[in-house]
Each structure stands twice: as C-alpha cells, then as structure tokens.
Amino acid sequence: MMDPDYDLFAAIVAEGGLAAAGRRMRISPAMVSKRLARLEERLGARLIHRTTRRLALTAAGERLHDDLREIMTALDAAERRVSGAGAQASGTIRITAPTSFGRMHVAPWLGRFLDEHPRVAVHIDLSDDYADLLAARVDLAIRITVDPGQGLAARRLATNRRILCAAPAYLERFGVPRKLADLRKHRLLAAEGQLPWRLAGPDGPVTVDGTSHVRTNSSEVVRELAMAGVGIALRSLWDVSDALAAGHVRQILPKWEGSADVGLFAVHLPQPHPPLALSAFIDFLAGLYQPVPPWERTGMEAGPGPA
C-alpha cells in the first residue's frame, strides 16, 4: 500500500480539484487541503498551484505524478498477474476526441462499453483543439491525422476515407464536375487550414488549391453548408455516410479521394503496463472500427445498434 497522501495527491490530479478529490476520497475539502500541505511540507516542494478558478501542477508536481502513475500501473499489473486473467478493468479513464467524431461515433457506444466494464468510469471531452495529453491530464486521445505525435503510443483504428461531395441542388444549379480541372470553376468549401486538398487517384497524388466560398473555422459548418447546396466539400465518410445514404449529398469525381495517409488513431502516453481500463477501451474501439468501420458498411449487416 502506498502512502495515503500519495493516493490523495493522485486523486486531486485525476479529479482536477481539491473538492472533487475530497468527494471521491470521502473527506472534507479542508482535510484535503491540510493533507496536501502536509505532503508538500514533507517533500519540501510545492506540488500544485492553487487559484480560485483552476488547478495546475508545478514542475515538481508533474514529476511526482508521472512517477506515481508508473508505480500505480506497475502495482495494478502485479495484482493482475497474481489474481489471473479474470481481473476486471476498473478506475477512471479521461478521453478527448474531435467534436463531431466523438459525438457521432464514440458517445453512442459508451453505454455498451460501460455495461461490459461496470467498474470503469469515463470522463470524455470533445474538442477540435490539439490536446497535450500530459498538460490536460488525458489518458487517451482520439486523433484523425497523418502523424499521431512523436513519443506517444498510438494504435491505428481505421483509415479516414474522405470523398468529394455536394448536394443535388448545387449540382443541378452549377453542373457536375467531370474532371479535377473542373473544380477551378466551382465553389469549394473548407474550414481554415483544410485547403489545399491532397487527393489520390488513378494518376497518383494531386493537390487541389483554392479559396473556400465561405470562410469558417468549423468543420461542422462546412458539412452543413455542403448539405445546404452552397458548394463542394471534401468530407470524411464517417461524417457524411448518413447524408449519402439519404441522398442529401452525392459523391462526385469518385476516382479521387483524400490521401489514405490520414488515419484514425487511439493515442496515449507510453507506459510499460497501461491500466487495464485504458487497454480495454482501446480494444473496444478497435472492435467497433475494424476490419471495416460502421460508416463504410454499406449493404452490409452492421450488427446491433449502440447501447
């Protein structure tokens, strides 16, 4: 058993505040503060910057937390080895995912995961910002990217297929492009930083440059504009498969798609023995998205719906 003040410090970091840690440990906020001060005095170092609005680890606190996480992970692995494979995943996992993808393809399945792993608690944040796993105290990030990040453990869950598409109303008004060069005469839609488009096709890779007909920082706005007939967009299949099936958008120039280098990754800090809850969630996602993700299973039996 570790020093209980170390357990308390780990709880403060995991919960993001003294009061929340007190509720988890079933002690008063005043006692949490007192024991944290006692630990800092014993170690001779400030561990946490405390303000009325936020909590932030000091450099010493970061080092201690990293060391404690390794120790706790090793203890958990040792217990699993002794108790056998029947040990259950438990504890809290903190997850971050892109806003649209998390809402459409992670959140609907969380109920099933939690039913399968009743001792696991999930904290999920949706954001299109690039999360620093250490600074944000995140256990797992779902990233849609070419490079999931240096020095991180990453598991590729699926290829992120992207297609050119537009609403029938737009195509009726402006015509259907027959070749890539025709795109120069059309209204393109992309969020900031998403142009030029890097496509792959029968003649190899090609770049399509241009200016978005509507400027926006939101990929979700681009999707809505495309469905409203404002222009042509390069969209991920996970984002528009339902709209394609319903006829709200149509694929154009089907021989050309976004580069296959872009993948869907589960990313976490490297550690010799990841917590069983973290490994279980990554395996759960892989089971959902492999070998063929549900948004690509056109004409196939997708199995039961999300919990």
Side-chain angles (χ1 to χ4, degrees):
M1 178 181 291
M2 287 203 311
D3 185 313
D5 287 342
Y6 286 149
D7 286 329
L8 178 63
F9 172 69
I12 293 171
V13 176
E15 297 297 329
L18 275 65
R23 288 191 294 271
R24 172 172 157 181
M25 306 292 285
R26 297 184 179 179
I27 58 179
S28 69
M31 181 57 68
V32 173
S33 182
K34 181 178 179 180
R35 285 178 54 183
L36 176 60
R38 180 177 68 188
L39 177 62
E40 290 177 326
E41 182 178 359
R42 177 157 60 87
L43 297 177
R46 182 79 172 230
L47 301 175
I48 296 175
H49 292 301
R50 298 181 285 282
T51 69
T52 56
R53 293 190 176 182
R54 63 188 299 269
L55 172 154
L57 292 178
T58 65
E62 293 277 9
R63 289 193 297 271
L64 178 62
H65 183 247
D66 289 345
D67 290 342
L68 289 177
R69 175 150 50 181
E70 289 187 13
I71 293 169
M72 290 175 171
T73 299
L75 287 173
D76 181 64
E79 288 185 359
R80 294 206 305 269
R81 287 192 294 271
V82 171
S83 61
Q88 283 188 303
S90 62
T92 300
I93 50 174
R94 294 179 176 269
I95 303 161
T96 182
T99 303
S100 294
F101 185 86
R103 175 174 54 80
M104 298 172 68
H105 299 291
V106 179
W109 301 96
L110 285 180
R112 176 180 291 185
F113 174 77
L114 294 172
D115 285 343
E116 294 177 4
H117 302 279
R119 296 178 60 188
V120 175
V122 172
H123 180 121
I124 183 166
D125 289 321
L126 300 184
S127 173
D128 293 328
D129 293 335
Y130 190 87
D132 183 321
L133 302 188
L134 189 60
R137 302 190 299 277
V138 169
D139 298 304
L140 178 71
I142 298 172
R143 290 181 178 167
I144 302 172
T145 181
V146 174
D147 179 11
Q150 291 186 345
L152 297 173
R155 180 169 175 180
R156 189 182 181 101
L157 301 173
T159 294
N160 186 49
R161 285 187 59 199
R162 292 167 296 150
I163 64 167
L164 294 163
C165 59
Y170 174 87
L171 298 175
E172 290 173 8
R173 181 180 177 189
F174 294 100
V176 179
R178 302 299 178 186
K179 55 185 183 294
L180 280 180
D182 292 344
L183 292 178
R184 289 196 294 265
K185 299 178 289 186
H186 280 267
R187 297 176 176 180
L188 308 185
L189 296 171
E192 293 177 5
Q194 292 182 348
L195 278 169
W197 292 334
R198 292 171 178 82
L199 307 177
D203 301 323
V206 66
T207 298
V208 175
D209 206 350
T211 302
S212 181
H213 189 62
V214 176
R215 296 185 61 183
T216 177
N217 67 344
S218 170
S219 188
E220 288 190 325
V221 168
V222 171
R223 178 182 186 272
E224 297 306 312
L225 290 170
M227 292 179 61
V230 178
I232 296 171
L234 179 66
R235 304 302 301 165
S236 298
L237 268 182
W238 60 258
D239 191 34
V240 296
S241 58
D242 288 348
L244 281 168
H248 299 316
V249 294
R250 286 170 46 194
Q251 184 177 6
I252 61 171
L253 299 170
K255 293 182 179 180
W256 297 92
E257 293 190 359
S259 170
D261 291 341
V262 179
L264 174 68
F265 293 89
V267 181
H268 60 91
L269 295 172
Q271 44 193 308
H273 305 286
L276 188 56
L278 176 61
S279 299
F281 190 72
I282 294 174
D283 289 342
F284 178 79
L285 293 179
L288 287 178
Y289 307 146
Q290 296 175 3
V292 180
W295 51 87
E296 293 187 26
R297 296 176 195 166
T298 53
M300 298 172 58
E301 178 59 46

